[in-house]
């Protein structure tokens, strides 16, 4: 285990966080908010610690999968702990567990909150809160890959550990160039959304924070009603961009390279859009009696479906009051999530496609034992290693989900509350149903239960195994 390179990379993560904290510090200066001091102190602490950790450059910079998992997991933990300090030091979230919950929810793009009144926070903290979504959306390690000189194999191990989906591939031969392309697409799409929101009359501060939440598919709003008080035009812009950010970024790369046909031939993208379309139509029909208008029902259904399936978590209405059929569809979408290689969470569409194809293959072989059938995606054979990893992921997912529900049951909340709270945090969505619905929050849970949900958010964002590696004896025996 290359311990020195792990410490070195964590040092750079802290340096990057120190620089990123300067943006909310500028917001504090603009609005003349004293809470900016807590942000400045945190930035200084990150910088001091970061500089100390990078002073000694490792002699050996190559590391393998084990180091990649440990580095990514520890980086996200350190990033979250330091990122929680402004909320705690400013006194707006005096409970350190609550401050960590809010920050982990931000970086993992979950959007679950313990705040009973979001509007009570000063603008600088609201900015930092939403900005954590944008930072975590594409992944801070992916950003680091754009900057640090590192052996190619090492870069790929970091990217595999942080990027969502059953498999990770290069867009171009060099991993560093792939990371740059991903961030360029991410930044350009964010800027386009900001411009469209401004054209709709949204204030600059609101446009920035809304775009951060949409791009990272996070969902932290700056108003107590989330997105309900904004105009239909602004809601529609966010709906479109939530869905766009939930698409595999490989599709955008193909479009940029003039291969639009190849982008739309991706099975995952077609399945993702088909599920969204079918869900919107079904919920529109099911909620007609509530909205008394096809247009309004369609618009509200589209926003909520886009928000849930991409695991963004914005809301324009309390869908917990919708008919059972609509609520059931939304809960099912929570588990499916967005595409692999996007900023969305959930189990990912590609995994469901692989599982469906695996079941189909097994059925064929039951009838025809001697048949040789391969699982294919986009016309290419899916490697056995990917199928195996998908099956193991699903088993681990079910076990962690069940254990989390059992552990938070000590708080004596309802089954619906507990089930959707775990689903909302583990799938990085935000709101659930019942007490943790769009009009509620997670403050009702004890510190113990919040700790379990914090683990779920990190495990969900890092696709389970990187975070589980930290709890394996074999990992630490190698040090």
């Amino acid at each position: 285990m290359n311990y020195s390179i792990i410490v070195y990379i964590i040092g750079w993560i802290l340096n990057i966080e120190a620089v990123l904290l300067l943006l909310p510090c500028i917001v504090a200066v603009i609005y003349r908010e004293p809470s900016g001091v807590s942000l400045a102190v945190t930035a200084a602490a990150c910088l001091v610690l970061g500089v100390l950790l990078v002073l000694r450059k490792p002699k050996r910079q190559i590391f393998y999968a084990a180091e990649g998992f440990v580095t990514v997991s520890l980086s996200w933990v350190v990033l979250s702990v330091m990122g929680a300090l402004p909320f705690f030091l400013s006194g707006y979230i005096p409970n350190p567990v609550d401050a960590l919950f809010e920050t982990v929810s931000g970086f993992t793009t979950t959007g679950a909150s313990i705040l009973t009144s979001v509007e009570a926070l000063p603008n600088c903290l609201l900015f930092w809160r939403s900005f954590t979504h944008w930072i975590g959306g594409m992944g801070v390690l992916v950003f680091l890959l754009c900057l640090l000189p590192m052996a190619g194999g090492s870069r790929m191990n970091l990217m595999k550990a942080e990027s969502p989906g059953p498999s990770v591939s290069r867009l171009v031969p060099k991993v560093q160039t792939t990371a740059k392309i991903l961030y360029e697409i991410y930044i350009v799409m964010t800027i386009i959304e900001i411009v469209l929101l401004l054209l709709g009359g949204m204030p600059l501060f609101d446009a920035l924070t809304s775009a951060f939440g949409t791009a990272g598919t996070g969902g932290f709003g700056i108003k107590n009603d989330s997105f309900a008080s904004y105009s239909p035009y602004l809601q529609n812009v966010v709906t479109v961009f939530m869905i766009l950010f939930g698409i595999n970024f490989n599709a955008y790369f193909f479009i940029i390279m003039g291969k639009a046909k190849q982008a739309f031939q991706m099975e995952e993208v077609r399945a993702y859009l088909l599920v969204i379309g079918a869900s919107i139509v079904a919920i529109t029909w099911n909620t007609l009696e509530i909205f008394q208008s096809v247009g309004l029902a369609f618009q509200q259904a589209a926003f909520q479906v886009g928000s849930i399936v991409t695991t963004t978590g914005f809301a324009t209405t309390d869908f917990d009051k919708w008919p059972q059929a609509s609520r059931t569809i939304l809960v099912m979408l929570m588990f499916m999530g967005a595409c692999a290689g996007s900023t969305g969470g959930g189990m990912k569409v590609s995994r469901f496609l692989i599982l469906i194809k695996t079941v189909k293959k097994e059925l064929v072989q039951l009838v025809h034992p001697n048949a040789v059938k391969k699982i294919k995606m986009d016309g290419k054979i899916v490697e056995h290693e990917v199928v195996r990893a998908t099956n193991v992921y699903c088993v681990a997912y079910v076990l962690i989900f069940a254990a989390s529900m059992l552990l938070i049951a000590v708080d004596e909340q309802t089954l619906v509350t507990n089930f959707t709270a775990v689903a909302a945090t583990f799938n990085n969505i935000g709101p659930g149903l019942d007490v943790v619905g769009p009009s509620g929050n997670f403050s009702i849970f004890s510190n113990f239960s919040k700790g379990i949900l914090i683990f779920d958010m990190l495990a969900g964002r890092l696709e389970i195994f990187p975070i589980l590696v930290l709890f394996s004896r074999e990992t630490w025996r190698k040090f």
Side-chain angles (χ1 to χ4, degrees):
M1 186 74 75
N2 191 348
Y3 183 73
S4 59
I5 190 66
I6 295 173
V7 173
Y8 184 71
I9 291 174
I10 291 175
W12 275 109
I13 292 294
L14 287 169
N15 288 334
I16 290 173
E17 186 169 20
V19 174
L20 295 173
L21 278 160
L22 294 179
L23 287 176
C25 285
I26 293 171
V27 173
V29 171
I30 293 172
Y31 288 97
R32 298 180 181 179
E33 294 172 336
S35 299
V37 174
S38 63
L39 290 158
V41 169
T42 304
C46 287
L47 187 62
V48 170
L49 288 173
V51 169
L52 289 174
L53 294 179
V54 301
L55 280 177
R56 192 173 180 180
K57 195 171 183 179
K59 295 178 181 179
R60 188 166 60 93
Q61 295 193 20
I62 296 177
F63 62 97
Y64 302 99
E67 287 95 335
F69 286 139
V70 172
T71 302
V72 168
S73 299
L74 291 180
S75 294
W76 277 75
V77 171
V78 170
L79 189 74
S80 299
V81 170
M82 298 304 292
L85 287 179
F87 297 112
F88 176 70
L89 295 176
S90 65
Y92 280 94
I93 306 182
N95 182 349
V97 176
D98 285 348
L100 185 61
F101 183 98
E102 198 77 11
T103 309
V104 170
S105 180
F107 280 121
T108 59
T109 71
T110 302
S113 180
I114 50 82
L115 295 172
T116 54
S117 177
V118 174
E119 294 175 20
L121 265 63
N123 288 319
C124 60
L125 291 181
L126 284 175
F127 185 92
W128 175 240
R129 184 170 172 266
S130 294
F131 193 40
T132 55
H133 280 334
W134 195 86
I135 296 168
M138 186 57 68
V140 70
L141 271 298
V142 172
F143 179 70
L144 189 64
L145 293 178
C146 303
L147 306 176
L148 278 186
M150 201 179 295
S154 300
R155 285 201 185 99
M156 197 61 197
N157 284 322
L158 277 180
M159 199 165 184
K160 283 181 179 178
E162 187 177 48
S163 299
S167 63
V168 179
S169 59
R170 298 178 175 92
L171 298 178
V172 291
K174 292 185 177 181
V175 179
Q176 188 175 31
T177 306
T178 296
K180 287 180 179 178
I181 291 171
L182 289 172
Y183 252 98
E184 285 169 2
I185 295 171
Y186 190 53
I187 291 169
V188 169
M189 288 178 65
T190 304
I191 292 172
I192 292 172
E193 183 186 358
I194 291 170
V195 171
L196 291 175
L197 291 174
L198 291 173
L199 289 175
M202 182 178 275
L204 178 59
F205 182 82
D206 294 36
L208 289 170
T209 52
S210 298
F212 292 154
T214 308
T217 61
F220 273 155
I222 61 170
K223 295 188 176 182
N224 292 330
D225 64 0
S226 188
F227 237 79
S229 57
Y230 290 109
S231 69
Y233 166 82
L234 296 175
Q235 292 177 6
N236 292 337
V237 168
V238 170
T239 300
V240 171
F241 275 90
M242 284 190 295
I243 295 171
L244 290 177
F245 278 107
I247 291 175
N248 192 320
F249 274 47
N250 287 8
Y252 298 128
F253 176 73
F254 289 140
I255 293 171
I256 292 170
M257 298 302 291
K259 300 177 181 178
K261 186 178 180 181
Q262 191 171 345
F264 291 105
Q265 285 178 339
M266 293 175 67
E267 286 185 54
E268 182 182 30
V269 174
R270 285 187 282 125
Y272 167 74
L273 295 176
L274 179 63
V275 169
I276 289 176
S279 300
I280 291 173
V281 171
I283 292 177
T284 298
W285 175 80
N286 192 231
T287 57
L288 270 178
E289 290 187 8
I290 295 175
F291 295 107
Q292 300 293 313
S293 164
V294 175
L296 182 59
F298 181 86
Q299 190 248 339
Q300 291 296 317
F303 189 98
Q304 262 55 241
V305 167
S307 179
I308 295 298
V309 76
T310 61
T311 70
T312 303
F314 284 136
T316 54
T317 185
D318 188 357
F319 53 76
D320 191 31
K321 297 178 180 177
W322 282 4
Q324 290 294 341
S326 295
R327 296 168 70 207
T328 302
I329 291 171
L330 291 178
V331 170
M332 292 173 70
L333 293 176
M334 286 182 183
F335 289 92
M336 187 187 81
C339 296
S342 71
T343 61
M347 292 181 71
K348 307 296 181 300
V349 177
S350 57
R351 281 199 179 92
F352 276 95
L353 288 176
I354 290 173
L355 288 172
I356 291 169
K357 289 173 183 283
T358 301
V359 171
K360 185 178 179 181
K361 174 190 171 185
E362 291 300 317
L363 290 174
V364 170
Q365 290 191 322
L366 282 173
V367 179
H368 305 287
N370 296 324
V372 178
K373 187 174 177 60
K374 299 288 185 181
I375 297 172
K376 292 184 177 181
M377 285 276 284
D378 303 328
K380 298 177 182 178
I381 294 175
V382 179
E383 295 178 6
H384 174 72
E385 182 64 25
V386 174
V387 177
R388 185 192 66 81
T390 300
N391 293 335
V392 174
Y393 173 90
C394 291
V395 172
Y397 181 97
V398 171
L399 290 175
I400 293 174
F401 195 98
S404 298
M405 274 198 65
L406 181 63
L407 289 170
I408 70 170
V410 298
D411 284 357
E412 295 294 331
Q413 299 298 327
T414 65
L415 181 61
V416 172
T417 295
N418 290 341
F419 183 87
T420 57
V422 174
T425 51
F426 201 12
N427 294 310
N428 303 132
I429 295 164
L433 297 175
D434 202 9
V435 179
V436 293
S439 60
N441 58 69
F442 287 72
S443 62
I444 47 96
F445 288 106
S446 64
N447 286 341
F448 171 78
S449 293
K450 287 171 187 170
I452 300 299
L453 298 175
I454 286 171
F455 171 84
D456 288 343
M457 288 188 280
L458 287 169
R461 173 59 181 84
L462 298 179
E463 305 271 280
I464 298 177
F465 295 109
I467 202 74
L468 287 183
V469 164
L470 295 179
F471 298 91
S472 171
R473 290 183 181 180
E474 293 300 318
T475 301
W476 304 109
R477 282 176 183 173
K478 294 180 179 180
F479 275 105

PDB file of all heavy atoms in Angstrom, residues 321-342:
ATOM      1  N   LYS A 321     -48.686  14.028  -1.284  1.00  0.00           N
ATOM      2  CA  LYS A 321     -50.148  14.080  -1.248  1.00  0.00           C
ATOM      3  C   LYS A 321     -50.765  13.572  -2.546  1.00  0.00           C
ATOM      4  O   LYS A 321     -51.979  13.622  -2.727  1.00  0.00           O
ATOM      5  CB  LYS A 321     -50.614  15.515  -0.960  1.00  0.00           C
ATOM      6  CG  LYS A 321     -50.172  16.024   0.410  1.00  0.00           C
ATOM      7  CD  LYS A 321     -50.614  17.458   0.637  1.00  0.00           C
ATOM      8  CE  LYS A 321     -50.155  17.967   2.012  1.00  0.00           C
ATOM      9  NZ  LYS A 321     -50.507  19.399   2.230  1.00  0.00           N
ATOM     10  N   TRP A 322     -49.957  13.120  -3.463  1.00  0.00           N
ATOM     11  CA  TRP A 322     -50.449  12.575  -4.738  1.00  0.00           C
ATOM     12  C   TRP A 322     -51.074  11.197  -4.526  1.00  0.00           C
ATOM     13  O   TRP A 322     -50.865  10.558  -3.474  1.00  0.00           O
ATOM     14  CB  TRP A 322     -49.303  12.467  -5.739  1.00  0.00           C
ATOM     15  CG  TRP A 322     -48.925  13.780  -6.370  1.00  0.00           C
ATOM     16  CD1 TRP A 322     -49.446  15.007  -6.077  1.00  0.00           C
ATOM     17  CD2 TRP A 322     -47.941  13.986  -7.377  1.00  0.00           C
ATOM     18  NE1 TRP A 322     -48.829  15.975  -6.844  1.00  0.00           N
ATOM     19  CE2 TRP A 322     -47.919  15.378  -7.658  1.00  0.00           C
ATOM     20  CE3 TRP A 322     -47.073  13.160  -8.078  1.00  0.00           C
ATOM     21  CZ2 TRP A 322     -47.055  15.934  -8.610  1.00  0.00           C
ATOM     22  CZ3 TRP A 322     -46.223  13.695  -9.031  1.00  0.00           C
ATOM     23  CH2 TRP A 322     -46.224  15.073  -9.293  1.00  0.00           C
ATOM     24  N   PRO A 323     -51.823  10.689  -5.515  1.00  0.00           N
ATOM     25  CA  PRO A 323     -52.398   9.341  -5.413  1.00  0.00           C
ATOM     26  C   PRO A 323     -51.311   8.273  -5.242  1.00  0.00           C
ATOM     27  O   PRO A 323     -50.146   8.495  -5.614  1.00  0.00           O
ATOM     28  CB  PRO A 323     -53.128   9.169  -6.754  1.00  0.00           C
ATOM     29  CG  PRO A 323     -53.415  10.560  -7.213  1.00  0.00           C
ATOM     30  CD  PRO A 323     -52.255  11.388  -6.734  1.00  0.00           C
ATOM     31  N   GLN A 324     -51.709   7.122  -4.718  1.00  0.00           N
ATOM     32  CA  GLN A 324     -50.749   6.054  -4.429  1.00  0.00           C
ATOM     33  C   GLN A 324     -49.979   5.610  -5.674  1.00  0.00           C
ATOM     34  O   GLN A 324     -48.778   5.309  -5.600  1.00  0.00           O
ATOM     35  CB  GLN A 324     -51.480   4.848  -3.831  1.00  0.00           C
ATOM     36  CG  GLN A 324     -52.020   5.062  -2.428  1.00  0.00           C
ATOM     37  CD  GLN A 324     -50.906   5.247  -1.407  1.00  0.00           C
ATOM     38  OE1 GLN A 324     -49.760   4.897  -1.626  1.00  0.00           O
ATOM     39  NE2 GLN A 324     -51.259   5.827  -0.262  1.00  0.00           N
ATOM     40  N   ALA A 325     -50.640   5.548  -6.810  1.00  0.00           N
ATOM     41  CA  ALA A 325     -49.975   5.092  -8.040  1.00  0.00           C
ATOM     42  C   ALA A 325     -48.816   6.010  -8.404  1.00  0.00           C
ATOM     43  O   ALA A 325     -47.718   5.552  -8.750  1.00  0.00           O
ATOM     44  CB  ALA A 325     -50.978   5.022  -9.190  1.00  0.00           C
ATOM     45  N   SER A 326     -49.043   7.318  -8.324  1.00  0.00           N
ATOM     46  CA  SER A 326     -47.999   8.291  -8.659  1.00  0.00           C
ATOM     47  C   SER A 326     -46.848   8.212  -7.666  1.00  0.00           C
ATOM     48  O   SER A 326     -45.675   8.256  -8.051  1.00  0.00           O
ATOM     49  CB  SER A 326     -48.579   9.708  -8.665  1.00  0.00           C
ATOM     50  OG  SER A 326     -49.541   9.846  -9.695  1.00  0.00           O
ATOM     51  N   ARG A 327     -47.171   8.094  -6.389  1.00  0.00           N
ATOM     52  CA  ARG A 327     -46.130   7.989  -5.362  1.00  0.00           C
ATOM     53  C   ARG A 327     -45.308   6.718  -5.552  1.00  0.00           C
ATOM     54  O   ARG A 327     -44.090   6.710  -5.376  1.00  0.00           O
ATOM     55  CB  ARG A 327     -46.757   8.006  -3.970  1.00  0.00           C
ATOM     56  CG  ARG A 327     -47.468   9.313  -3.634  1.00  0.00           C
ATOM     57  CD  ARG A 327     -48.315   9.176  -2.397  1.00  0.00           C
ATOM     58  NE  ARG A 327     -47.505   9.036  -1.192  1.00  0.00           N
ATOM     59  CZ  ARG A 327     -47.906   8.420  -0.091  1.00  0.00           C
ATOM     60  NH1 ARG A 327     -49.093   7.837  -0.060  1.00  0.00           N
ATOM     61  NH2 ARG A 327     -47.126   8.367   0.948  1.00  0.00           N
ATOM     62  N   THR A 328     -45.972   5.644  -5.931  1.00  0.00           N
ATOM     63  CA  THR A 328     -45.276   4.375  -6.157  1.00  0.00           C
ATOM     64  C   THR A 328     -44.304   4.485  -7.322  1.00  0.00           C
ATOM     65  O   THR A 328     -43.166   3.993  -7.258  1.00  0.00           O
ATOM     66  CB  THR A 328     -46.282   3.239  -6.434  1.00  0.00           C
ATOM     67  OG1 THR A 328     -47.187   3.131  -5.329  1.00  0.00           O
ATOM     68  CG2 THR A 328     -45.565   1.909  -6.639  1.00  0.00           C
ATOM     69  N   ILE A 329     -44.741   5.137  -8.384  1.00  0.00           N
ATOM     70  CA  ILE A 329     -43.860   5.345  -9.549  1.00  0.00           C
ATOM     71  C   ILE A 329     -42.618   6.128  -9.138  1.00  0.00           C
ATOM     72  O   ILE A 329     -41.491   5.789  -9.516  1.00  0.00           O
ATOM     73  CB  ILE A 329     -44.614   6.076 -10.687  1.00  0.00           C
ATOM     74  CG1 ILE A 329     -45.689   5.171 -11.284  1.00  0.00           C
ATOM     75  CG2 ILE A 329     -43.635   6.526 -11.783  1.00  0.00           C
ATOM     76  CD1 ILE A 329     -46.608   5.865 -12.260  1.00  0.00           C
ATOM     77  N   LEU A 330     -42.815   7.183  -8.344  1.00  0.00           N
ATOM     78  CA  LEU A 330     -41.686   8.014  -7.914  1.00  0.00           C
ATOM     79  C   LEU A 330     -40.717   7.220  -7.043  1.00  0.00           C
ATOM     80  O   LEU A 330     -39.494   7.362  -7.175  1.00  0.00           O
ATOM     81  CB  LEU A 330     -42.186   9.245  -7.151  1.00  0.00           C
ATOM     82  CG  LEU A 330     -42.948  10.289  -7.983  1.00  0.00           C
ATOM     83  CD1 LEU A 330     -43.428  11.444  -7.087  1.00  0.00           C
ATOM     84  CD2 LEU A 330     -42.089  10.830  -9.111  1.00  0.00           C
ATOM     85  N   VAL A 331     -41.250   6.371  -6.154  1.00  0.00           N
ATOM     86  CA  VAL A 331     -40.376   5.542  -5.305  1.00  0.00           C
ATOM     87  C   VAL A 331     -39.571   4.569  -6.162  1.00  0.00           C
ATOM     88  O   VAL A 331     -38.375   4.355  -5.939  1.00  0.00           O
ATOM     89  CB  VAL A 331     -41.191   4.778  -4.243  1.00  0.00           C
ATOM     90  CG1 VAL A 331     -40.315   3.749  -3.527  1.00  0.00           C
ATOM     91  CG2 VAL A 331     -41.779   5.750  -3.224  1.00  0.00           C
ATOM     92  N   MET A 332     -40.192   3.995  -7.187  1.00  0.00           N
ATOM     93  CA  MET A 332     -39.488   3.076  -8.088  1.00  0.00           C
ATOM     94  C   MET A 332     -38.382   3.810  -8.851  1.00  0.00           C
ATOM     95  O   MET A 332     -37.291   3.273  -9.064  1.00  0.00           O
ATOM     96  CB  MET A 332     -40.481   2.439  -9.060  1.00  0.00           C
ATOM     97  CG  MET A 332     -41.456   1.478  -8.398  1.00  0.00           C
ATOM     98  SD  MET A 332     -42.741   0.871  -9.512  1.00  0.00           S
ATOM     99  CE  MET A 332     -41.790  -0.190 -10.580  1.00  0.00           C
ATOM    100  N   LEU A 333     -38.664   5.053  -9.244  1.00  0.00           N
ATOM    101  CA  LEU A 333     -37.658   5.850  -9.946  1.00  0.00           C
ATOM    102  C   LEU A 333     -36.479   6.183  -9.035  1.00  0.00           C
ATOM    103  O   LEU A 333     -35.351   6.342  -9.505  1.00  0.00           O
ATOM    104  CB  LEU A 333     -38.280   7.147 -10.479  1.00  0.00           C
ATOM    105  CG  LEU A 333     -39.314   6.992 -11.593  1.00  0.00           C
ATOM    106  CD1 LEU A 333     -39.902   8.362 -11.954  1.00  0.00           C
ATOM    107  CD2 LEU A 333     -38.704   6.346 -12.831  1.00  0.00           C
ATOM    108  N   MET A 334     -36.746   6.289  -7.717  1.00  0.00           N
ATOM    109  CA  MET A 334     -35.669   6.550  -6.763  1.00  0.00           C
ATOM    110  C   MET A 334     -34.575   5.491  -6.858  1.00  0.00           C
ATOM    111  O   MET A 334     -33.390   5.791  -6.781  1.00  0.00           O
ATOM    112  CB  MET A 334     -36.216   6.546  -5.325  1.00  0.00           C
ATOM    113  CG  MET A 334     -37.026   7.747  -4.931  1.00  0.00           C
ATOM    114  SD  MET A 334     -37.527   7.595  -3.183  1.00  0.00           S
ATOM    115  CE  MET A 334     -38.542   9.065  -3.001  1.00  0.00           C
ATOM    116  N   PHE A 335     -35.006   4.249  -7.019  1.00  0.00           N
ATOM    117  CA  PHE A 335     -34.052   3.146  -7.049  1.00  0.00           C
ATOM    118  C   PHE A 335     -33.340   3.041  -8.397  1.00  0.00           C
ATOM    119  O   PHE A 335     -32.150   2.729  -8.450  1.00  0.00           O
ATOM    120  CB  PHE A 335     -34.756   1.826  -6.720  1.00  0.00           C
ATOM    121  CG  PHE A 335     -35.170   1.725  -5.284  1.00  0.00           C
ATOM    122  CD1 PHE A 335     -36.436   2.127  -4.878  1.00  0.00           C
ATOM    123  CD2 PHE A 335     -34.287   1.255  -4.322  1.00  0.00           C
ATOM    124  CE1 PHE A 335     -36.816   2.049  -3.545  1.00  0.00           C
ATOM    125  CE2 PHE A 335     -34.657   1.171  -2.986  1.00  0.00           C
ATOM    126  CZ  PHE A 335     -35.920   1.570  -2.598  1.00  0.00           C
ATOM    127  N   MET A 336     -34.049   3.315  -9.467  1.00  0.00           N
ATOM    128  CA  MET A 336     -33.428   3.212 -10.787  1.00  0.00           C
ATOM    129  C   MET A 336     -32.344   4.258 -10.981  1.00  0.00           C
ATOM    130  O   MET A 336     -31.220   3.969 -11.364  1.00  0.00           O
ATOM    131  CB  MET A 336     -34.479   3.347 -11.893  1.00  0.00           C
ATOM    132  CG  MET A 336     -33.904   3.083 -13.280  1.00  0.00           C
ATOM    133  SD  MET A 336     -35.065   3.437 -14.615  1.00  0.00           S
ATOM    134  CE  MET A 336     -34.877   5.225 -14.740  1.00  0.00           C
ATOM    135  N   GLY A 337     -32.681   5.510 -10.693  1.00  0.00           N
ATOM    136  CA  GLY A 337     -31.706   6.582 -10.843  1.00  0.00           C
ATOM    137  C   GLY A 337     -31.444   6.951 -12.285  1.00  0.00           C
ATOM    138  O   GLY A 337     -32.204   6.599 -13.199  1.00  0.00           O
ATOM    139  N   ALA A 338     -30.338   7.650 -12.507  1.00  0.00           N
ATOM    140  CA  ALA A 338     -29.991   8.161 -13.824  1.00  0.00           C
ATOM    141  C   ALA A 338     -29.030   7.217 -14.540  1.00  0.00           C
ATOM    142  O   ALA A 338     -28.854   6.058 -14.151  1.00  0.00           O
ATOM    143  CB  ALA A 338     -29.378   9.552 -13.680  1.00  0.00           C
ATOM    144  N   CYS A 339     -28.394   7.732 -15.587  1.00  0.00           N
ATOM    145  CA  CYS A 339     -27.443   6.921 -16.360  1.00  0.00           C
ATOM    146  C   CYS A 339     -26.091   6.853 -15.655  1.00  0.00           C
ATOM    147  O   CYS A 339     -25.726   7.750 -14.890  1.00  0.00           O
ATOM    148  CB  CYS A 339     -27.228   7.536 -17.746  1.00  0.00           C
ATOM    149  SG  CYS A 339     -28.695   7.565 -18.793  1.00  0.00           S
ATOM    150  N   ALA A 340     -25.355   5.794 -15.931  1.00  0.00           N
ATOM    151  CA  ALA A 340     -23.960   5.721 -15.489  1.00  0.00           C
ATOM    152  C   ALA A 340     -23.192   6.811 -16.232  1.00  0.00           C
ATOM    153  O   ALA A 340     -23.563   7.192 -17.336  1.00  0.00           O
ATOM    154  CB  ALA A 340     -23.379   4.355 -15.823  1.00  0.00           C
ATOM    155  N   GLY A 341     -22.142   7.332 -15.610  1.00  0.00           N
ATOM    156  CA  GLY A 341     -21.360   8.370 -16.273  1.00  0.00           C
ATOM    157  C   GLY A 341     -22.040   9.726 -16.290  1.00  0.00           C
ATOM    158  O   GLY A 341     -21.649  10.618 -17.033  1.00  0.00           O
ATOM    159  N   SER A 342     -23.090   9.894 -15.466  1.00  0.00           N
ATOM    160  CA  SER A 342     -23.760  11.189 -15.325  1.00  0.00           C
ATOM    161  C   SER A 342     -23.501  11.698 -13.913  1.00  0.00           C
ATOM    162  O   SER A 342     -22.764  11.082 -13.149  1.00  0.00           O
ATOM    163  CB  SER A 342     -25.268  11.036 -15.560  1.00  0.00           C
ATOM    164  OG  SER A 342     -25.870  10.341 -14.472  1.00  0.00           O
TER     165      SER A 342
END
